[in-house]
Amino acid sequence: MTRKLYALSGTDKTRPFSPHVWKTKLSLAHKGLPFDVTPVAFTEIPKLEEGATKIVPLLRDGDKLVSDSFDIALYLEKTYPDRPTLFAGEGGRAMARFVEGWSQMTLHPAIGRIAIMDIHDRLEPVDQAYFRSSREQRFGRPLEAVAESGRADLETFSAKLEPLRHMLKFQPFLGGDGPLFADYIVFGALQWARIVSTHRLLAAGDVVSDWFERCLDLHGGLGRSVTAA
Amino acid sequence: MTRKLYALSGTDKTRPFSPHVWKTKLSLAHKGLPFDVTPVAFTEIPKLEEGATKIVPLLRDGDKLVSDSFDIALYLEKTYPDRPTLFAGEGGRAMARFVEGWSQMTLHPAIGRIAIMDIHDRLEPVDQAYFRSSREQRFGRPLEAVAESGRADLETFSAKLEPLRHMLKFQPFLGGDGPLFADYIVFGALQWARIVSTHRLLAAGDVVSDWFERCLDLHGGLGRSVTAA
């Protein structure tokens, strides 16, 4: 097979955790396109495919190379238009950018703080050094101080999900009756937390938890193929 | 004309301020459907159209009565399919519910606190009494205490708009190249604030401010037809 997905991993190559890679795994499965996963460490990313990317996911599809989960979804939609749609129209494509904005500007920073030491501890020493250096530069303080601030995020995380709870009063997925790329965007964030952190961000009985479980079931239980931390 | 929109107003009938009514005004204009506005006070709503609704907007379209801005948008899309679309497909329709959830669970509570005394002060005495009683029951404290807590919301309001800023890196509207109902949802919230409150929630130079100005220009400057407070 020529379709290859480069996926971030730590010491355990069977537990890829990148939220963005999970978006792409579900996107490929949604389109019914088989793919092989190649685990890569943080410090290996710049060496992939002759320096093709600074970020994962990176997808090789025959002679095409595409990075960035949204760009990959757009590429798949354009290249495989006869397969199930990831956007269900122009409006869905446009609004998925807003969902991405919400997920990345609201959920990701909180999960990043909550799980920062979990992520660090799951990396090889060379990647730990890179992770510590790059994140301490980004946050302007030691990883341990970021993790400490993550305790407050645990308290407020559930409230951030209110927009989803409102939506779930009307329909089972962001995509409506069935999932679309917008679902995979938010799923990716929560799957990242599920795989790296022992903190449980979703409570049983929460409609968001029910939606997340439905997402874990999709495409033959692809999301469940990696167990919770 | 038989198309009549009942719109919440205070003492000044020329300054309708309900966020939900603004969503519907823009929706009707988007579809190119002319309409007359009938201003109504809070305490008049239950008496409209033989008790047809507890909320505005209420639209009479010939012999049809429809309330709730989202339901009205769905009704317009179904009834006038040959006019410009409000959703641009199934995905856009589904994701507009998420945008509604975000706007109503994130922006509305903050604007409600920030502007609560402004709204009160713009009502007739009988509506002031209703407003105070219903809102004090909802919040569990005096209006003045809610307004006090709104000072903190002024500090944090801009940060709530980060999902929009992310989206606006890629496209000029939530709907993509042009506006859809999702834009009117968020516009409604900020137009409500603009009309009732002298606090300016959007700063010049903010991409969200630029987007809001584009929305004010739409449909012959319909949003601008009411000046800022």
Side-chain angles (χ1 to χ4, degrees):
Chain A
M1 190 195 318
T2 59
R3 199 171 295 112
K4 184 192 278 191
L5 179 65
Y6 294 99
L8 188 67
S9 82
T11 51
D12 187 342
K13 306 293 185 207
T14 69
R15 300 181 61 78
F17 56 80
S18 159
H20 308 292
V21 172
W22 276 103
K23 295 180 209 171
T24 297
K25 289 173 82 168
L26 276 283
S27 299
L28 287 161
H30 185 100
K31 286 277 183 193
L33 299 168
F35 58 98
D36 285 332
V37 173
T38 301
V40 292
F42 271 113
T43 52
E44 293 171 338
I45 297 171
K47 304 170 204 162
L48 294 176
E49 297 278 1
E50 301 178 344
T53 186
K54 288 191 172 70
I55 55 169
V56 287
L58 174 66
L59 177 70
R60 170 167 283 289
D61 188 21
D63 60 358
K64 276 279 187 184
L65 276 170
V66 195
S67 64
D68 180 275
S69 61
F70 208 108
D71 286 343
I72 292 171
L74 293 171
Y75 164 79
L76 295 175
E77 190 77 350
K78 187 176 168 192
T79 310
Y80 304 98
D82 299 335
R83 303 291 187 120
T85 179
L86 285 163
F87 297 109
E90 293 292 312
R93 189 171 75 180
M95 279 171 241
R97 277 296 186 192
F98 178 75
V99 176
E100 180 182 73
W102 177 74
S103 183
Q104 292 187 192
M105 307 310 281
T106 306
L107 305 186
H108 279 231
I111 296 170
R113 288 185 290 265
I114 290 167
I116 200 161
M117 291 311 303
D118 295 304
I119 298 167
H120 174 270
D121 294 348
R122 289 170 194 281
L123 304 177
E124 298 285 358
V126 61
D127 296 302
Q128 287 186 340
Y130 159 79
F131 185 78
R132 179 175 289 277
S133 157
S134 61
R135 269 48 178 183
E136 293 192 344
Q137 191 169 4
R138 184 187 299 173
F139 287 104
R141 54 207 163 120
L143 290 192
E144 289 76 6
V146 176
E148 181 61 33
S149 69
R151 292 177 197 272
D153 288 296
L154 282 172
E155 299 296 315
T156 57
F157 193 82
S158 180
K160 293 183 197 296
L161 304 172
E162 283 293 308
L164 285 178
R165 292 191 189 103
H166 174 90
M167 177 275 292
L168 289 165
K169 288 182 201 165
F170 299 94
Q171 56 204 37
F173 291 98
L174 277 152
D177 293 335
L180 293 175
F181 183 60
D183 288 275
Y184 306 149
I185 289 171
V186 184
F187 173 80
L190 296 169
Q191 173 79 329
W192 173 39
R194 174 180 171 269
I195 291 173
V196 296
S197 170
T198 53
H199 291 297
R200 290 290 159 259
L201 300 184
L202 302 178
D206 184 346
V207 292
V208 178
S209 187
D210 297 341
W211 162 82
F212 186 65
E213 293 291 321
R214 287 195 290 278
C215 290
L216 286 169
D217 286 338
L218 291 170
H219 313 309
L222 180 59
R224 266 188 225 290
S225 64
V226 178
T227 56
Chain B
M1 191 195 318
T2 59
R3 199 173 295 111
K4 183 191 278 190
L5 179 65
Y6 293 99
L8 188 66
S9 82
T11 50
D12 186 342
K13 306 294 184 205
T14 69
R15 300 182 62 78
F17 57 79
S18 159
H20 308 293
V21 172
W22 276 103
K23 295 180 208 172
T24 297
K25 289 172 82 168
L26 276 282
S27 299
L28 287 161
H30 185 100
K31 286 278 183 194
L33 299 168
F35 58 98
D36 284 333
V37 173
T38 301
V40 293
F42 270 113
T43 52
E44 292 170 339
I45 297 172
K47 302 169 203 161
L48 295 176
E49 296 280 0
E50 302 179 344
T53 187
K54 290 191 171 71
I55 56 171
V56 286
L58 173 67
L59 177 70
R60 171 167 283 287
D61 187 21
D63 60 359
K64 276 279 188 183
L65 275 170
V66 194
S67 64
D68 180 274
S69 62
F70 207 108
D71 285 344
I72 292 171
L74 293 171
Y75 163 80
L76 295 175
E77 190 76 351
K78 189 176 167 190
T79 309
Y80 303 98
D82 299 335
R83 303 291 186 118
T85 179
L86 286 162
F87 297 108
E90 293 292 313
R93 190 171 74 180
M95 278 170 242
R97 278 294 187 194
F98 178 75
V99 176
E100 180 182 72
W102 177 75
S103 183
Q104 293 188 192
M105 307 310 282
T106 305
L107 305 187
H108 279 232
I111 296 171
R113 288 185 292 264
I114 290 168
I116 200 160
M117 291 313 302
D118 296 303
I119 298 168
H120 173 271
D121 294 348
R122 289 168 194 282
L123 305 177
E124 298 285 357
V126 61
D127 295 302
Q128 287 186 340
Y130 159 80
F131 186 77
R132 179 175 288 276
S133 157
S134 62
R135 269 48 178 182
E136 293 192 345
Q137 190 169 5
R138 184 188 296 173
F139 286 104
R141 54 208 163 117
L143 290 192
E144 289 75 6
V146 176
E148 182 60 33
S149 70
R151 292 177 197 271
D153 288 296
L154 282 172
E155 298 297 314
T156 57
F157 193 82
S158 180
K160 293 183 197 297
L161 304 173
E162 282 294 307
L164 285 178
R165 292 189 189 104
H166 174 90
M167 178 276 292
L168 289 165
K169 288 181 202 167
F170 300 93
Q171 56 204 36
F173 291 99
L174 276 153
D177 293 335
L180 293 175
F181 183 59
D183 288 275
Y184 305 149
I185 290 172
V186 184
F187 172 80
L190 296 169
Q191 173 79 329
W192 172 39
R194 173 180 171 270
I195 292 172
V196 296
S197 170
T198 52
H199 290 296
R200 291 290 160 258
L201 300 184
L202 302 178
D206 185 345
V207 291
V208 178
S209 188
D210 297 340
W211 161 82
F212 186 66
E213 294 291 322
R214 287 195 291 278
C215 290
L216 285 169
D217 286 337
L218 291 170
H219 313 307
L222 180 59
R224 267 188 225 287
S225 65
V226 178
T227 56

